[in-house]
């Protein structure tokens, strides 16, 4: 018997899909605008969300903080909004005060609801977006189709973002996600953070990575060390990308509260950007942005990533992440 459901909802003027299990949890609300995860409640948190979403529809209209944004065709920042690909220079619209392009081109795109797969112990929905397929986006004359699959169960939420090159030429591509996470009832400063990578990407004042090998810094024993077993966030002010060689298993970033609950974000591969939200307006909801990305900021301009970002005609590439809450067992 099917016990998980999908219903239509609204966040102000914005249509949403509400995925829900029996008894009200787990529950996820996803706006069709940007395929944006507005909230996520899991059995260990009751009706409280582990995702720090937009405070109001007006904040969502302004995309304040890029909360839970899907990031494509690039993530984070692109220096001066400019890059060269296969000998041709391209220019994105500039978005931030430093003149950099920020967070891709689909945050405010309208995504279409596709297949909904309800079941007895989980539900999945797929959303699709052709904003990048038309080749009409300034700075991105390519034909890339996007889809994102959300799968919700009592174990948590799995997000899988897939890009397919429908054009006749290679396309540059980097995928990512920008959720802000929280443990309900826990002050962020009292939580401990554990990150999977042992190297940090060193950036300039505009948050663009330094050239060449100067961008890579080992963090063991430094103020940037959040390796196991993690340390309290306290008053940390972070907007840092972490990278490092890793094995074939998923990369796990963990936010642990004083009550023994841990919120984990597991990503397939890549880097993690961590942002404490300190530069956001003071009236914004608190949360720690733990952002799974395929590549470091300014990836389109990094010679060492020239091959990795390339998507050939007809090819697909997927990038996924999962969120779950569990309680540490002692004794």
């Amino acid at each position: 018997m099917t016990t998980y459901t999908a219903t239509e909802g609204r966040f102000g003027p914005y249509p949403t899909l509400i995925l829900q299990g029996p008894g009200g949890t787990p529950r996820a609300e996803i706006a069709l605008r940007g395929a944006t995860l507005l909230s996520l409640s899991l059995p260990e948190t009751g009706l409280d969300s582990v995702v720090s979403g937009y405070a109001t529809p007006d904040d969502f209209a302004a995309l304040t903080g890029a909360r839970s944004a899907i990031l494509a065709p690039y993530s984070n920042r692109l220096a001066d909004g400019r890059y060269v690909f296969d000998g041709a220079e391209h220019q994105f619209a500039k978005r931030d005060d430093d003149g950099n392009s920020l967070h891709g081109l689909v945050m405010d795109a309208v995504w279409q609801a596709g297949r909904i797969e309800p079941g007895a112990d989980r539900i999945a929905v797929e959303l699709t977006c052709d904003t990048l397929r038309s080749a009409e986006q300034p700075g991105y004359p390519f034909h890339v189709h996007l889809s994102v699959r959300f799968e919700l169960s009592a174990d948590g939420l799995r997000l899988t973002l897939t890009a397919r090159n429908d054009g006749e030429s290679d396309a540059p591509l980097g995928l990512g996600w920008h959720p802000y996470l929280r443990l309900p009832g826990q002050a962020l400063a009292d939580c401990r953070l554990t990150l999977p990578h042992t190297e940090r990407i060193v950036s300039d004042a505009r948050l663009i990575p330094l050239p060449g090998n100067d961008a890579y810094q080992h963090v063991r024993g430094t103020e940037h060390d959040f390796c196991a077993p993690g340390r309290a966030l306290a008053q940390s002010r972070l907007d840092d990308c972490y990278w490092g060689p890793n094995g074939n298993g998923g990369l796990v970033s963990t936010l642990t509260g004083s009550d023994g609950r841990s919120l984990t974000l597991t990503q397939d591969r890549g880097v993690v950007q961590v942002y404490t939200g300190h530069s956001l307006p003071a009236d914004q909801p608190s949360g720690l942005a733990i952002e799974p990305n395929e590549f470091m900021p300014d990836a389109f301009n990094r010679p060492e990533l020239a091959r990795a970002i390339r998507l050939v005609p007809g090819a697909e590439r997927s990038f996924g992440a999962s969120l779950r809450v569990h309680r540490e067992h002692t004794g």
Side-chain angles (χ1 to χ4, degrees):
M1 182 176 68
T2 298
T3 56
Y4 277 69
T5 61
T7 57
E8 295 180 353
R10 298 196 77 82
F11 182 55
Y14 302 104
T16 68
L17 281 175
I18 299 171
L19 310 182
Q20 189 166 290
T25 60
R27 182 185 186 276
E29 184 168 15
I30 304 157
L32 297 186
R33 184 189 192 221
T36 306
L37 180 66
L38 297 175
S39 64
L40 172 64
S41 303
L42 298 175
E44 285 283 0
T45 63
L47 298 178
D48 291 323
S49 177
V50 301
V51 170
S52 184
Y54 289 98
T56 66
D58 286 344
D59 286 333
F60 187 28
L63 296 172
T64 305
R67 293 176 181 270
S68 291
I70 299 294
L71 309 178
Y74 65 92
S75 59
N76 207 276
R77 287 164 173 79
L78 190 71
D80 301 316
R82 184 180 298 112
Y83 67 100
V84 175
F85 186 75
D86 285 344
E89 182 174 302
H90 304 284
Q91 177 77 59
F92 287 117
K94 295 179 180 178
R95 293 193 178 184
D96 70 6
D97 293 339
D98 292 319
N100 302 317
S101 290
L102 191 62
H103 298 330
L105 300 173
V106 297
M107 287 195 296
D108 59 352
V110 175
W111 292 62
Q112 304 296 324
R115 293 176 300 177
I116 297 176
E117 304 167 14
D121 62 352
R122 65 192 60 239
I123 189 170
V125 62
E126 182 178 87
L127 307 180
T128 62
C129 176
D130 280 328
T131 292
L132 303 182
R133 194 170 182 267
S134 66
E136 294 177 355
Q137 292 294 316
Y140 200 74
F142 304 100
H143 300 266
V144 174
H145 171 78
L146 297 174
S147 65
V148 61
R149 176 184 170 90
F150 294 90
E151 184 173 340
L152 179 70
S153 72
D155 290 333
L157 179 80
R158 168 74 179 177
L159 175 151
T160 305
L161 180 59
T162 300
R164 184 185 69 232
N165 186 352
D166 287 344
E168 297 180 355
S169 62
D170 294 0
L173 182 77
L175 303 174
W177 188 35
H178 200 294
Y180 289 73
L181 306 182
R182 59 188 293 270
L183 279 166
Q186 297 287 296
L188 195 60
D190 295 333
C191 292
R192 290 184 288 118
L193 174 65
T194 306
L195 298 178
H197 293 312
T198 59
E199 293 188 23
R200 169 179 169 260
I201 302 300
V202 183
S203 298
D204 63 18
R206 297 194 306 156
L207 300 178
I208 299 298
L210 300 182
N213 290 332
D214 289 342
Y216 302 94
Q217 176 193 53
H218 289 282
V219 298
R220 289 287 193 181
T222 74
E223 62 178 324
H224 302 286
D225 187 354
F226 286 93
C227 301
R231 75 170 199 258
L233 279 167
Q235 301 305 313
S236 298
R237 294 164 66 91
L238 302 173
D239 198 349
D240 292 282
C241 180
Y242 286 81
W243 175 91
N246 54 77
N248 294 324
L251 301 167
V252 182
S253 301
T254 306
L255 191 65
T256 302
S258 59
D259 63 353
R261 289 179 302 171
S262 289
L263 173 58
T264 60
L265 186 150
T266 303
Q267 62 191 85
D268 298 339
R269 61 186 186 278
V271 305
V272 60
Q273 184 85 20
V274 181
Y275 170 51
T276 50
H278 51 273
S279 58
L280 293 176
D283 61 350
Q284 291 299 296
S286 63
L288 179 69
I290 302 180
E291 309 162 31
N293 295 317
E294 281 194 289
F295 307 117
M296 63 195 289
D298 204 32
F300 285 10
N301 291 313
R302 303 293 301 190
E304 71 270 30
L305 296 176
R307 183 174 180 179
I309 65 171
R310 185 176 295 269
L311 188 66
V312 301
E316 285 189 349
R317 194 162 79 229
S318 294
F319 181 67
S322 301
L323 286 173
R324 65 183 294 261
V325 175
H326 65 277
R327 188 174 294 273
E328 295 179 350
H329 297 285
T330 59

